[in-house]
């Protein structure tokens, strides 16, 4: 849900603590390097609004203080400005570097790496999986309202981000080539029906299978061990049907299964919209630069930092910048081969869900509208 800006700003007191102003706090009241930009210039340069940028800067300032960072050479707002400019544009805009007085490429890269680590660390506040019974019920209710499938907490998918890898190391190079034939790194992402990111973890070479990431991930182990209760996550063809990962029927045999697949596709498409929105707002995600096995942590921090900023932008209801160039094709996933022992119970649960919610009888009692077009609304 997108909160009004004053409401979202009000949570700063709870998130970052209160108390008498300290010496470092006084710097936040000083003139900011962002002040020299108009609101229109801010959005063009950073794809964010002034109140949102102010919120992010204060959050970073508090995080750096509580994490006992040494006082940075550039001020916090200068470091935030350089990082936000890189995230939004995929490069350093000369005008921004000039205004901050920071023009050495090496120092700019260092600043982005530092800020990415700090903002990624803020995921404990700004990226949260529904934990309470109330939060789970609310999320599941919104999902059912959207597509008709009950008891779903979110959409699970791989997020691929293009990178450049050296072709001279043939074995390493091949490990980065994904199913669409380009070199990438991949993270595991879960989002809710409103495109808020609920979880982002792992940063693997592009060839990694989705199911492999899921089984070795922290969230995957939690979910499959029933830590989050009897709820589903929507998964594409790269995932194995389980008691908590709900996949589409590969070969629908009747109208009920066809309707279920349509509903599944509708909620699954939310993830594609979410990832497309992130890459549109943060162009750095369109090409993360050169990478090798040793630099995956730095790429992971950039991905997670942009996920944090995406959720904050969602709360501030900030529109997306105009689309530029071609959009990426949706990642199809690698077909997962199911294991009979694991799938049997899950197949039964999925079939019961379909019969209860997508059969002709269930539609006559409580029809889920899974094919409503925008023109019909």
């Amino acid at each position: 849900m997108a909160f009004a800006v004053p409401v979202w700003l009000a949570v700063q007191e709870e998130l970052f603590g209160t108390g008498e102003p300290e010496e470092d706090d006084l710097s936040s009241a000083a003139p900011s390097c962002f002040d020299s930009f108009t609101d229109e210039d801010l959005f063009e340069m950073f794809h964010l609004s002034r109140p949102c940028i102010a919120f992010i800067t204060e959050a970073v300032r508090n995080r750096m203080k509580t994490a006992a960072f040494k006082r940075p050479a550039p001020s916090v707002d200068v470091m935030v400005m350089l990082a936000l400019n890189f995230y939004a544009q995929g490069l350093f805009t000369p005008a921004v570097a000039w205004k901050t007085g920071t023009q050495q490429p090496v120092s700019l890269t260092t600043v982005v790496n530092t800020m990415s680590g700090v903002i990624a660390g803020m995921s404990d506040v700004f990226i949260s999986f529904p934990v309470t019974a109330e939060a789970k019920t609310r999320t599941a209710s919104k999902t059912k309202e959207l597509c008709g499938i009950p008891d779903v907490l979110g959409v699970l998918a791989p997020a691929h981000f293009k990178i450049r890898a050296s072709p001279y190391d043939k074995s390493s190079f091949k490990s980065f080539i994904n199913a669409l034939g380009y070199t990438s790194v991949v993270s595991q992402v879960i989002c809710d029906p409103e495109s808020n990111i609920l979880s982002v973890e792992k940063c693997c070479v592009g060839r990694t299978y989705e199911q492999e990431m899921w089984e070795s991930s922290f969230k995957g182990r939690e979910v499959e061990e029933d830590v989050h209760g009897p709820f589903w996550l929507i998964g594409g063809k790269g995932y194995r049907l389980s008691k908590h990962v709900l996949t589409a029927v590969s070969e629908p045999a009747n109208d009920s299964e066809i309707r279920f697949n349509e509903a599944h596709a509708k909620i699954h498409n939310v993830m594609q919209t979410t990832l497309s929105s992130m890459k549109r707002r943060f162009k750095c995600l369109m090409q993360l630069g050169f990478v090798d096995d040793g630099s995956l942590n730095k790429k992971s921090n950039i991905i997670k930092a942009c996920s944090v900023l995406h959720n904050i932008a969602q709360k501030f209801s900030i529109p997306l910048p105009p689309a530029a160039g071609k959009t990426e094709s949706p990642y199809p996933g690698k077909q997962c081969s199911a294991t009979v022992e694991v799938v049997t119970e899950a197949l039964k649960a999925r079939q019961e869900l379909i019969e209860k919610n997508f059969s002709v009888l269930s539609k006559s009692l409580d029809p889920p509208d899974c094919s409503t077009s925008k023109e019909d609304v």
Side-chain angles (χ1 to χ4, degrees), residues 92-139:
F92 299 106
T93 305
V96 170
W98 179 80
K99 286 202 174 190
T100 60
T102 309
Q103 300 182 45
Q104 297 299 321
V106 174
S107 65
L108 292 175
T109 301
T110 301
V111 165
V112 169
N113 287 337
T114 300
M115 285 293 94
S116 295
V118 173
I119 298 173
M122 289 158 51
S123 61
D124 60 349
V125 174
F126 296 106
I127 297 178
S128 58
F129 199 80
V131 175
T132 66
E134 180 184 1
K136 292 174 183 177
T137 300
R138 183 170 60 248
T139 302

Short mmCIF file of all heavy atoms in Angstrom, two decimals, residues 92-139:
data_model
loop_
_atom_site.label_atom_id
_atom_site.label_comp_id
_atom_site.label_asym_id
_atom_site.label_seq_id
_atom_site.Cartn_x
_atom_site.Cartn_y
_atom_site.Cartn_z
N PHE A 92 27.78 7.87 -14.03
CA PHE A 92 27.89 9.10 -13.25
C PHE A 92 27.67 10.29 -14.17
O PHE A 92 28.42 10.49 -15.12
CB PHE A 92 29.25 9.20 -12.58
CG PHE A 92 29.53 8.09 -11.61
CD1 PHE A 92 30.42 7.07 -11.94
CD2 PHE A 92 28.88 8.04 -10.39
CE1 PHE A 92 30.67 6.04 -11.05
CE2 PHE A 92 29.13 7.01 -9.50
CZ PHE A 92 30.02 6.01 -9.83
N THR A 93 26.63 11.08 -13.91
CA THR A 93 26.36 12.25 -14.70
C THR A 93 27.37 13.34 -14.37
O THR A 93 27.53 13.69 -13.20
CB THR A 93 24.93 12.78 -14.42
OG1 THR A 93 24.00 11.71 -14.64
CG2 THR A 93 24.60 13.96 -15.31
N PRO A 94 28.08 13.87 -15.35
CA PRO A 94 29.11 14.89 -15.09
C PRO A 94 28.60 16.07 -14.26
O PRO A 94 29.30 16.56 -13.39
CB PRO A 94 29.54 15.33 -16.49
CG PRO A 94 29.27 14.14 -17.35
CD PRO A 94 28.03 13.52 -16.78
N ALA A 95 27.37 16.51 -14.54
CA ALA A 95 26.83 17.66 -13.81
C ALA A 95 26.71 17.37 -12.32
O ALA A 95 26.97 18.24 -11.48
CB ALA A 95 25.46 18.04 -14.38
N VAL A 96 26.35 16.13 -11.98
CA VAL A 96 26.23 15.76 -10.57
C VAL A 96 27.60 15.68 -9.93
O VAL A 96 27.82 16.19 -8.82
CB VAL A 96 25.48 14.42 -10.43
CG1 VAL A 96 25.55 13.91 -9.00
CG2 VAL A 96 24.02 14.57 -10.86
N ALA A 97 28.54 15.03 -10.61
CA ALA A 97 29.90 14.94 -10.07
C ALA A 97 30.50 16.33 -9.88
O ALA A 97 31.19 16.60 -8.89
CB ALA A 97 30.77 14.11 -11.00
N TRP A 98 30.22 17.23 -10.81
CA TRP A 98 30.75 18.60 -10.72
C TRP A 98 30.15 19.33 -9.52
O TRP A 98 30.86 20.01 -8.77
CB TRP A 98 30.46 19.35 -12.00
CG TRP A 98 30.95 20.77 -11.98
CD1 TRP A 98 32.23 21.21 -12.19
CD2 TRP A 98 30.16 21.94 -11.71
NE1 TRP A 98 32.30 22.58 -12.06
CE2 TRP A 98 31.04 23.05 -11.77
CE3 TRP A 98 28.81 22.15 -11.43
CZ2 TRP A 98 30.61 24.36 -11.56
CZ3 TRP A 98 28.38 23.45 -11.22
CH2 TRP A 98 29.26 24.55 -11.28
N LYS A 99 28.85 19.18 -9.33
CA LYS A 99 28.19 19.88 -8.22
C LYS A 99 28.66 19.37 -6.87
O LYS A 99 28.65 20.11 -5.88
CB LYS A 99 26.67 19.75 -8.33
CG LYS A 99 26.07 20.60 -9.43
CD LYS A 99 24.59 20.87 -9.20
CE LYS A 99 24.07 21.84 -10.25
NZ LYS A 99 22.72 22.32 -9.94
N THR A 100 29.01 18.10 -6.80
CA THR A 100 29.47 17.54 -5.53
C THR A 100 30.96 17.76 -5.32
O THR A 100 31.49 17.49 -4.24
CB THR A 100 29.19 16.04 -5.45
OG1 THR A 100 29.89 15.37 -6.52
CG2 THR A 100 27.70 15.76 -5.55
N GLY A 101 31.66 18.21 -6.38
CA GLY A 101 33.09 18.42 -6.27
C GLY A 101 33.88 17.13 -6.28
O GLY A 101 35.04 17.10 -5.88
N THR A 102 33.25 16.03 -6.73
CA THR A 102 33.91 14.72 -6.75
C THR A 102 33.98 14.25 -8.19
O THR A 102 32.97 13.92 -8.79
CB THR A 102 33.11 13.69 -5.93
OG1 THR A 102 32.85 14.26 -4.65
CG2 THR A 102 33.88 12.41 -5.77
N GLN A 103 35.19 14.24 -8.76
CA GLN A 103 35.31 13.95 -10.18
C GLN A 103 36.30 12.84 -10.49
O GLN A 103 36.60 12.58 -11.65
CB GLN A 103 35.71 15.21 -10.93
CG GLN A 103 34.68 16.35 -10.77
CD GLN A 103 35.06 17.59 -11.55
OE1 GLN A 103 35.45 17.51 -12.69
NE2 GLN A 103 34.95 18.75 -10.92
N GLN A 104 36.84 12.15 -9.49
CA GLN A 104 37.77 11.06 -9.75
C GLN A 104 36.99 9.74 -9.89
O GLN A 104 36.29 9.34 -8.97
CB GLN A 104 38.77 10.95 -8.60
CG GLN A 104 39.65 12.17 -8.44
CD GLN A 104 40.49 12.43 -9.68
OE1 GLN A 104 40.99 11.49 -10.29
NE2 GLN A 104 40.63 13.69 -10.06
N PRO A 105 37.08 9.05 -11.04
CA PRO A 105 36.31 7.81 -11.27
C PRO A 105 36.49 6.77 -10.19
O PRO A 105 35.54 6.12 -9.78
CB PRO A 105 36.85 7.32 -12.63
CG PRO A 105 37.35 8.56 -13.31
CD PRO A 105 37.90 9.42 -12.22
N VAL A 106 37.73 6.59 -9.70
CA VAL A 106 37.97 5.56 -8.69
C VAL A 106 37.21 5.87 -7.42
O VAL A 106 36.57 5.02 -6.82
CB VAL A 106 39.49 5.44 -8.41
CG1 VAL A 106 39.72 4.48 -7.24
CG2 VAL A 106 40.23 4.96 -9.65
N SER A 107 37.23 7.14 -6.99
CA SER A 107 36.54 7.51 -5.76
C SER A 107 35.03 7.40 -5.93
O SER A 107 34.32 7.04 -4.99
CB SER A 107 36.92 8.93 -5.33
OG SER A 107 36.47 9.89 -6.27
N LEU A 108 34.53 7.67 -7.13
CA LEU A 108 33.10 7.53 -7.38
C LEU A 108 32.67 6.07 -7.22
O LEU A 108 31.64 5.78 -6.61
CB LEU A 108 32.75 8.03 -8.78
CG LEU A 108 32.88 9.54 -9.03
CD1 LEU A 108 32.62 9.85 -10.49
CD2 LEU A 108 31.93 10.32 -8.15
N THR A 109 33.46 5.17 -7.78
CA THR A 109 33.15 3.75 -7.65
C THR A 109 33.20 3.31 -6.19
O THR A 109 32.34 2.54 -5.74
CB THR A 109 34.16 2.92 -8.47
OG1 THR A 109 34.09 3.33 -9.84
CG2 THR A 109 33.85 1.44 -8.38
N THR A 110 34.17 3.81 -5.46
CA THR A 110 34.28 3.47 -4.04
C THR A 110 33.07 3.96 -3.27
O THR A 110 32.53 3.26 -2.40
CB THR A 110 35.56 4.09 -3.44
OG1 THR A 110 36.70 3.60 -4.14
CG2 THR A 110 35.70 3.74 -1.96
N VAL A 111 32.64 5.18 -3.59
CA VAL A 111 31.45 5.74 -2.92
C VAL A 111 30.23 4.88 -3.19
O VAL A 111 29.46 4.56 -2.28
CB VAL A 111 31.21 7.19 -3.39
CG1 VAL A 111 29.80 7.65 -2.99
CG2 VAL A 111 32.24 8.14 -2.79
N VAL A 112 30.03 4.46 -4.45
CA VAL A 112 28.86 3.64 -4.79
C VAL A 112 28.92 2.30 -4.07
O VAL A 112 27.91 1.82 -3.53
CB VAL A 112 28.76 3.44 -6.32
CG1 VAL A 112 27.73 2.36 -6.65
CG2 VAL A 112 28.37 4.74 -6.99
N ASN A 113 30.08 1.69 -4.03
CA ASN A 113 30.21 0.41 -3.33
C ASN A 113 29.91 0.57 -1.84
O ASN A 113 29.24 -0.28 -1.23
CB ASN A 113 31.61 -0.16 -3.52
CG ASN A 113 31.84 -0.70 -4.93
OD1 ASN A 113 30.88 -1.04 -5.63
ND2 ASN A 113 33.09 -0.77 -5.36
N THR A 114 30.40 1.67 -1.25
CA THR A 114 30.14 1.91 0.17
C THR A 114 28.66 2.14 0.42
O THR A 114 28.06 1.53 1.33
CB THR A 114 30.94 3.14 0.66
OG1 THR A 114 32.33 2.89 0.47
CG2 THR A 114 30.67 3.41 2.13
N MET A 115 28.06 3.02 -0.38
CA MET A 115 26.63 3.32 -0.19
C MET A 115 25.76 2.10 -0.48
O MET A 115 24.75 1.89 0.19
CB MET A 115 26.22 4.48 -1.11
CG MET A 115 26.67 5.85 -0.67
SD MET A 115 25.87 6.40 0.88
CE MET A 115 27.08 5.87 2.09
N SER A 116 26.14 1.29 -1.45
CA SER A 116 25.36 0.09 -1.76
C SER A 116 25.36 -0.86 -0.57
O SER A 116 24.34 -1.46 -0.24
CB SER A 116 25.92 -0.62 -2.99
OG SER A 116 25.79 0.19 -4.14
N GLY A 117 26.50 -0.98 0.09
CA GLY A 117 26.57 -1.82 1.27
C GLY A 117 25.69 -1.29 2.40
O GLY A 117 25.00 -2.06 3.08
N VAL A 118 25.71 0.04 2.58
CA VAL A 118 24.91 0.65 3.65
C VAL A 118 23.41 0.49 3.37
O VAL A 118 22.64 0.06 4.22
CB VAL A 118 25.25 2.15 3.80
CG1 VAL A 118 24.29 2.82 4.79
CG2 VAL A 118 26.70 2.32 4.28
N ILE A 119 23.00 0.83 2.14
CA ILE A 119 21.57 0.77 1.79
C ILE A 119 21.08 -0.67 1.76
O ILE A 119 19.96 -0.98 2.20
CB ILE A 119 21.30 1.48 0.46
CG1 ILE A 119 21.68 2.97 0.57
CG2 ILE A 119 19.83 1.37 0.06
CD1 ILE A 119 21.62 3.73 -0.75
N ALA A 120 21.91 -1.58 1.26
CA ALA A 120 21.54 -3.00 1.27
C ALA A 120 21.33 -3.47 2.70
O ALA A 120 20.43 -4.27 2.99
CB ALA A 120 22.62 -3.84 0.59
N GLY A 121 22.15 -2.96 3.63
CA GLY A 121 21.99 -3.33 5.03
C GLY A 121 20.71 -2.84 5.64
O GLY A 121 20.25 -3.34 6.68
N MET A 122 20.07 -1.84 5.00
CA MET A 122 18.80 -1.31 5.49
C MET A 122 17.62 -2.20 5.10
O MET A 122 16.46 -1.89 5.40
CB MET A 122 18.59 0.11 4.96
CG MET A 122 19.53 1.13 5.59
SD MET A 122 19.79 2.64 4.60
CE MET A 122 18.11 3.13 4.24
N SER A 123 17.91 -3.32 4.43
CA SER A 123 16.83 -4.23 4.03
C SER A 123 16.12 -4.82 5.25
O SER A 123 14.96 -5.25 5.15
CB SER A 123 17.38 -5.36 3.15
OG SER A 123 18.35 -6.12 3.85
N ASP A 124 16.79 -4.82 6.40
CA ASP A 124 16.14 -5.34 7.60
C ASP A 124 14.97 -4.47 8.03
O ASP A 124 14.09 -4.91 8.78
CB ASP A 124 17.14 -5.49 8.75
CG ASP A 124 17.80 -4.17 9.14
OD1 ASP A 124 17.64 -3.17 8.40
OD2 ASP A 124 18.49 -4.13 10.18
N VAL A 125 14.93 -3.23 7.54
CA VAL A 125 13.83 -2.31 7.85
C VAL A 125 12.84 -2.20 6.69
O VAL A 125 11.63 -2.20 6.89
CB VAL A 125 14.37 -0.90 8.19
CG1 VAL A 125 13.23 0.10 8.37
CG2 VAL A 125 15.25 -0.94 9.43
N PHE A 126 13.36 -2.15 5.46
CA PHE A 126 12.51 -1.80 4.32
C PHE A 126 12.10 -2.97 3.43
O PHE A 126 11.31 -2.80 2.51
CB PHE A 126 13.21 -0.74 3.47
CG PHE A 126 13.42 0.56 4.21
CD1 PHE A 126 14.67 0.92 4.67
CD2 PHE A 126 12.35 1.41 4.47
CE1 PHE A 126 14.86 2.10 5.35
CE2 PHE A 126 12.52 2.58 5.16
CZ PHE A 126 13.79 2.94 5.61
N ILE A 127 12.65 -4.16 3.67
CA ILE A 127 12.21 -5.35 2.94
C ILE A 127 11.77 -6.37 3.98
O ILE A 127 12.58 -6.87 4.74
CB ILE A 127 13.34 -5.94 2.08
CG1 ILE A 127 13.77 -4.94 1.01
CG2 ILE A 127 12.89 -7.24 1.42
CD1 ILE A 127 14.92 -5.43 0.13
N SER A 128 10.48 -6.63 4.03
CA SER A 128 9.98 -7.52 5.09
C SER A 128 8.95 -8.50 4.57
O SER A 128 8.02 -8.12 3.85
CB SER A 128 9.39 -6.69 6.24
OG SER A 128 8.34 -5.87 5.78
N PHE A 129 9.13 -9.74 4.90
CA PHE A 129 8.19 -10.81 4.58
C PHE A 129 7.07 -10.77 5.62
O PHE A 129 7.35 -10.51 6.80
CB PHE A 129 8.90 -12.15 4.63
CG PHE A 129 8.20 -13.26 3.90
CD1 PHE A 129 8.31 -13.36 2.52
CD2 PHE A 129 7.46 -14.20 4.58
CE1 PHE A 129 7.68 -14.39 1.84
CE2 PHE A 129 6.82 -15.22 3.91
CZ PHE A 129 6.92 -15.31 2.53
N PRO A 130 5.80 -10.96 5.22
CA PRO A 130 4.72 -10.93 6.22
C PRO A 130 4.93 -11.98 7.30
O PRO A 130 5.04 -13.16 7.00
CB PRO A 130 3.45 -11.19 5.40
CG PRO A 130 3.92 -11.79 4.11
CD PRO A 130 5.28 -11.24 3.86
N VAL A 131 4.98 -11.52 8.54
CA VAL A 131 5.27 -12.42 9.66
C VAL A 131 4.06 -12.65 10.54
O VAL A 131 3.75 -13.78 10.91
CB VAL A 131 6.44 -11.86 10.50
CG1 VAL A 131 6.68 -12.72 11.73
CG2 VAL A 131 7.71 -11.78 9.66
N THR A 132 3.34 -11.59 10.87
CA THR A 132 2.20 -11.74 11.76
C THR A 132 1.02 -12.35 11.02
O THR A 132 0.92 -12.28 9.79
CB THR A 132 1.77 -10.37 12.33
OG1 THR A 132 1.27 -9.54 11.25
CG2 THR A 132 2.94 -9.67 13.01
N ALA A 133 0.11 -12.93 11.77
CA ALA A 133 -1.10 -13.55 11.18
C ALA A 133 -1.91 -12.50 10.43
O ALA A 133 -2.45 -12.77 9.35
CB ALA A 133 -1.94 -14.19 12.28
N GLU A 134 -1.97 -11.29 10.98
CA GLU A 134 -2.73 -10.22 10.34
C GLU A 134 -2.11 -9.85 8.99
O GLU A 134 -2.82 -9.67 7.99
CB GLU A 134 -2.77 -8.99 11.25
CG GLU A 134 -3.54 -7.82 10.67
CD GLU A 134 -3.49 -6.59 11.56
OE1 GLU A 134 -2.84 -6.65 12.63
OE2 GLU A 134 -4.10 -5.57 11.19
N ALA A 135 -0.78 -9.72 8.97
CA ALA A 135 -0.10 -9.34 7.73
C ALA A 135 -0.26 -10.42 6.66
O ALA A 135 -0.48 -10.13 5.48
CB ALA A 135 1.38 -9.09 8.01
N LYS A 136 -0.17 -11.68 7.06
CA LYS A 136 -0.32 -12.78 6.11
C LYS A 136 -1.74 -12.82 5.55
O LYS A 136 -1.94 -13.00 4.34
CB LYS A 136 0.02 -14.10 6.79
CG LYS A 136 1.49 -14.25 7.14
CD LYS A 136 1.74 -15.52 7.94
CE LYS A 136 3.20 -15.63 8.35
NZ LYS A 136 3.48 -16.82 9.18
N THR A 137 -2.71 -12.65 6.42
CA THR A 137 -4.11 -12.66 5.98
C THR A 137 -4.39 -11.51 5.03
O THR A 137 -5.08 -11.68 4.01
CB THR A 137 -5.05 -12.57 7.20
OG1 THR A 137 -4.82 -13.69 8.06
CG2 THR A 137 -6.52 -12.57 6.76
N ARG A 138 -3.85 -10.34 5.34
CA ARG A 138 -4.06 -9.17 4.49
C ARG A 138 -3.44 -9.37 3.11
O ARG A 138 -4.07 -9.08 2.08
CB ARG A 138 -3.47 -7.93 5.16
CG ARG A 138 -3.70 -6.63 4.39
CD ARG A 138 -3.31 -5.41 5.21
NE ARG A 138 -1.90 -5.45 5.60
CZ ARG A 138 -1.48 -5.61 6.84
NH1 ARG A 138 -2.35 -5.76 7.83
NH2 ARG A 138 -0.19 -5.62 7.13
N THR A 139 -2.22 -9.89 3.08
CA THR A 139 -1.54 -10.12 1.79
C THR A 139 -2.27 -11.18 0.98
O THR A 139 -2.48 -11.02 -0.23
CB THR A 139 -0.08 -10.55 2.03
OG1 THR A 139 0.60 -9.55 2.79
CG2 THR A 139 0.64 -10.76 0.71
#
